[in-house]
Amino acid sequence: MADAVLFAIDDRGVATITLNRPERLNAINMAMRDLLWEFLQACRDHPDVRAVCFRGEGRAFSAGADISEFGTAPSLLEARRARHERDVWGLMLSLPVPLVARMHGFCFGAGLELPLCCDVRVAEEGTQFALPEVTLGYIPSAGGTQTLPRTIPPGAAADLILTGEPVGTEEALRWGLITKAVPAAELDEAVEEELGRVLAEPFAPKPPRL
């Protein structure tokens, strides 16, 4: 069985982290969180890493958290402890290198919150973006209530958070949710262009926003 998250570093110093559960639309389970934590630590500690690119295999970047695992923790305290000990989103925000997200298909829930922790977001035209947690009776729990209104207009952020309704690339681009939207055939080229740009420019890390 293939690893649920793939990791590679190329000769430019670009670390690529790939969500690799295409059969589940890259729904993020605890095993994936653990791997993301491990690979992000490697990006933080490896002296040659100059940028990080996030991708998703298959039809979607990520459909969000794997709800089949909800309620399976031994206790609420254990679930909270795991989140505090492996704060994936806080670690992303603290990395001293630029982060680029390659987005396509569905970017729902944690599949949108992860790119919101990135500096550049490039999306395929037709991609759908949503924070649907409210429709399941809870709130975005990977920082979306903080990162989204700091990225797009507060009213638009409130609408996404409170309704759970998806928006497309036209609205996302107009609001600043994504940096660029391109046809599917041009997505990889556009991501490479953005990686080239961030590698060529001095990068001043932003302070953690959560």
Side-chain angles (χ1 to χ4, degrees):
M1 182 177 295
D3 290 337
V5 181
L6 306 178
F7 181 67
I9 303 174
D10 67 19
D11 57 7
R12 299 173 297 171
V14 175
T16 300
I17 296 177
T18 305
L19 307 180
N20 191 41
R21 294 182 75 205
E23 73 285 356
R24 296 298 302 271
L25 297 179
N26 295 319
I28 299 172
N29 60 13
M30 286 304 297
M32 292 178 76
R33 278 181 55 92
D34 288 345
L35 285 169
L36 284 168
W37 174 252
E38 178 181 336
F39 296 145
L40 287 166
Q41 285 185 306
C43 292
R44 179 195 63 195
D45 298 337
H46 197 300
D48 295 332
V49 170
R50 301 173 56 215
V52 182
C53 181
F54 294 89
R55 304 168 57 97
E57 282 293 329
R59 296 190 296 117
F61 177 78
S62 174
D66 189 341
I67 62 174
S68 69
E69 289 191 344
F70 284 16
T72 60
S75 70
L76 290 175
L77 288 176
E78 283 296 310
R80 294 300 299 170
R81 183 182 62 80
R83 283 182 174 270
H84 282 294
E85 291 181 354
R86 298 186 297 278
D87 181 6
V88 169
W89 323 112
L91 180 53
M92 285 183 66
L93 290 170
S94 71
L95 287 180
V97 296
L99 311 181
V100 177
R102 176 192 184 277
M103 306 168 74
H104 73 289
F106 302 106
C107 300
F108 286 4
L112 177 56
E113 289 168 296
L114 188 157
L116 281 168
C117 293
C118 294
D119 303 285
V120 179
R121 293 172 291 276
V122 182
E124 174 185 310
E125 291 176 352
T127 300
Q128 294 285 298
F129 311 89
L131 293 175
E133 287 85 349
V134 68
T135 66
L136 299 174
Y138 71 109
I139 67 170
S141 56
T145 54
Q146 288 80 47
T147 54
L148 188 63
R150 296 170 185 172
T151 304
I152 69 174
D159 185 68
L160 280 173
I161 293 167
L162 296 175
T163 69
E165 291 295 319
V167 298
T169 47
E170 184 175 337
E171 296 96 329
L173 190 61
R174 184 170 67 248
W175 291 339
L177 180 59
I178 56 177
T179 308
K180 183 182 295 185
V182 297
E186 299 174 16
L187 182 58
D188 286 330
E189 180 181 355
V191 170
E192 284 301 312
E193 287 178 358
E194 292 300 319
L195 284 168
R197 181 176 64 81
V198 299
L199 288 171
E201 297 176 354
F203 178 69
K206 297 181 290 292
R209 295 174 291 172
L210 296 184

